[in-house]
Amino acid sequence: MSRLSKVVVGALLVASTFAPSAGFAAAPVFVGPLSADSTLFWDGGYVGSSPTYSLPLLPPNAALDRCALVEPCFNFQFDVVGSGARLRVAFDTPMRDDGFEITYTSPSGVVTRRSNSNQYSVENFFLAPELGRWTVKVAPYGAEHASFRMRAKLESTPYVPPGEGALPPNLRVTRQWEFGFVAPANPGNGLFPPDDTNPPLEVAGQHPLSCSVDETLDDGTSRCLRFSFGLANVGDGTFDIRFMGDRSGAEFAMTQCVQQSSGSPVARPAGKGKFHTTHGHFHYHNIIFHKLHRVTDRSTGAMTQVGAGKKLGYSPADQGIAEWTRFVQAPSGSSGGFGNCASASDSNRLGMSSGWGDAYRYQRPGNFIDFTAGSDGYFVVQTIADPENVVLESNESDNTSYAYLRIVGEEVDVLESGVGASPWDPNKIVYN
């Protein structure tokens, strides 16, 4: 996938899309006032074919202003005009391999600095924020053909999930995109998180392979329909999985810690895990399934399954805000912050904080569906979270997402995508 095509990809974990503006703002742009419980949303800007910046990230409280050294740099201001318990300001970009440094300056001059290193979203929280004018500067340090957006809210009280008792997560496949038949150049990409370390194996439009060598060894797959997808936790509680495992490749038990509105989390069995030697980390086994269906009747939606995904294990983490228009996310990294329901020996953990999601790009090893028996036509790809129902969730009806495709040769057009089984699902939620 070319860097230029990243502009077209759009938002990763949400249904809405970016509307990047041209050029950059050298002078501050005032985006509005914030009173108690009011919100601001704005399109941040667009970085074109500027060079990748080699200047290292600045330390959190460095006096040096990166915006004095690089161009373009984006400069925004807003006024906190009312008292509030917490100010939250978030940044979001469609591709996590585009790096930005975000600097927040309070009215009294206190500087806080963050970056989105290998993440789509960054959200900062300021308790009892000062009244007056706040400044947010966004400077690229490794971005090309990249857009971003921002939001802010002044909370009268920090958001607390409603209800009493158990607060389970809610797993949802948020989107499928980047469909194609181009193999990754480096199938060991799982060991190196930045996506740019594993570009597509394509030169001047020529791509001889859709599957990497290791992907064809186990079962004779010869044609791989590759794609990217997101997995998010849109529930009120954390997705918190604990385990004790070794690196032998043998399966081991997983324990789910179910957050409670008060008190310690409650333990329950939650399937199996194993160590993935290629990726170099632990995977939650059988937590996601992929299915390929050929559409045999477009008027009725009749389908026949003709393929399936081969990769069954994943290791989710907080990478991006799942629902951009809702201010319900817990702070990133808080999925284990409510206590451990397992023994001390089960201190290994994976999961996602409430309101956060992860994404798995098409070039990751195993991110494909077997298309060996496929040919031109119309297809539906289904991605199913928690297909064996081993995770306690607040909503079990939204675990399947679909993409409706037209495939001719190696050209793949996404005609529709959303939550549900197919375009003919009466309860579907279509992504924009």
Side-chain angles (χ1 to χ4, degrees), residues 199-215:
L201 185 61
E202 184 175 36
V203 178
Q206 300 300 310
H207 42 267
L209 301 174
S210 62
C211 311
S212 60
V213 175
D214 62 313
E215 291 172 338

Side-chain angles (χ1 to χ4, degrees), residues 46 48 71 86 95-97 142 148 186 319 350 372-373 411:
Y46 174 67
E71 189 176 293
R86 188 169 71 174
M95 294 302 208
R96 63 186 169 202
D97 52 326
F148 69 95
N186 169 23
Q319 294 268 302
L350 56 80
T372 302
E411 293 295 322

Side-chain angles (χ1 to χ4, degrees), residues 5-311:
S5 67
K6 296 196 304 180
V7 179
V8 183
V9 169
L12 166 67
L13 294 171
V14 294
S16 58
T17 58
F18 287 85
S21 58
F24 65 93
V29 174
F30 183 72
V31 295
L34 277 177
S35 56
D37 293 319
S38 65
T39 62
L40 293 170
F41 294 88
W42 68 96
D43 293 319
Y46 174 67
V47 178
S49 58
S50 300
T52 298
Y53 304 103
S54 58
L55 186 69
L57 290 174
L58 298 175
N61 296 308
L64 185 65
D65 184 354
R66 186 186 190 92
C67 282
L69 305 174
V70 301
E71 189 176 293
C73 184
F74 305 87
N75 191 348
F76 309 103
Q77 293 183 331
F78 58 85
D79 288 342
V80 174
V81 298
S83 298
R86 188 169 71 174
L87 169 67
R88 53 196 303 169
V89 185
F91 163 96
D92 190 43
T93 189
M95 294 302 208
R96 63 186 169 202
D97 52 326
D98 287 316
F100 292 85
E101 185 173 85
I102 306 103
T103 302
Y104 313 83
T105 304
S106 73
S108 66
V110 177
V111 175
T112 304
R113 189 169 278 113
R114 293 283 302 277
S115 75
N116 71 313
S117 178
N118 195 41
Q119 290 187 218
Y120 302 94
S121 308
V122 173
E123 185 164 37
N124 243 49
F125 296 84
F126 303 90
L127 299 179
E130 301 175 35
L131 295 175
R133 181 148 296 184
W134 288 70
T135 299
V136 181
K137 294 183 178 181
V138 180
Y141 65 85
E144 287 186 282
H145 303 294
S147 58
F148 69 95
R149 59 183 175 179
M150 301 199 71
R151 70 177 198 184
K153 181 177 182 178
L154 179 63
E155 297 177 312
S156 57
T157 57
Y159 175 79
V160 176
E164 297 291 332
L167 297 173
N170 181 23
L171 299 181
R172 180 185 295 169
V173 177
T174 53
R175 196 170 188 181
Q176 300 134 301
W177 84 110
E178 292 185 310
F179 286 89
F181 293 95
V182 184
N186 169 23
N189 183 44
L191 298 173
F192 307 100
D195 296 323
D196 275 357
T197 63
N198 195 12
L201 185 61
E202 184 175 36
V203 178
Q206 300 300 310
H207 42 267
L209 301 174
S210 62
C211 311
S212 60
V213 175
D214 62 313
E215 291 172 338
T216 66
L217 295 178
D218 292 338
D219 52 20
T221 300
S222 61
R223 195 176 187 207
C224 296
L225 174 60
R226 314 195 72 88
F227 64 102
S228 304
F229 70 94
L231 176 68
N233 171 20
V234 296
D236 289 328
T238 62
F239 177 48
D240 186 358
I241 302 297
R242 308 288 176 137
F243 59 92
M244 179 180 65
D246 59 37
R247 296 172 180 261
S248 67
E251 286 191 337
F252 46 80
M254 308 291 263
T255 299
Q256 180 184 5
C257 291
V258 181
Q259 184 183 341
Q260 308 293 307
S261 59
S262 61
S264 300
V266 175
R268 63 179 300 278
K272 301 291 184 180
K274 64 190 307 184
F275 184 77
H276 196 288
T277 54
T278 302
H279 290 190
H281 54 235
F282 293 102
H283 274 181
Y284 200 166
H285 201 48
N286 292 347
I287 194 61
I288 293 172
F289 281 2
H290 305 292
K291 296 180 179 180
L292 176 69
H293 300 267
R294 177 181 287 277
V295 179
T296 56
D297 188 329
R298 295 175 59 200
S299 62
T300 64
M303 302 186 300
T304 301
Q305 184 174 343
V306 293
K310 303 299 182 182
K311 181 178 178 182

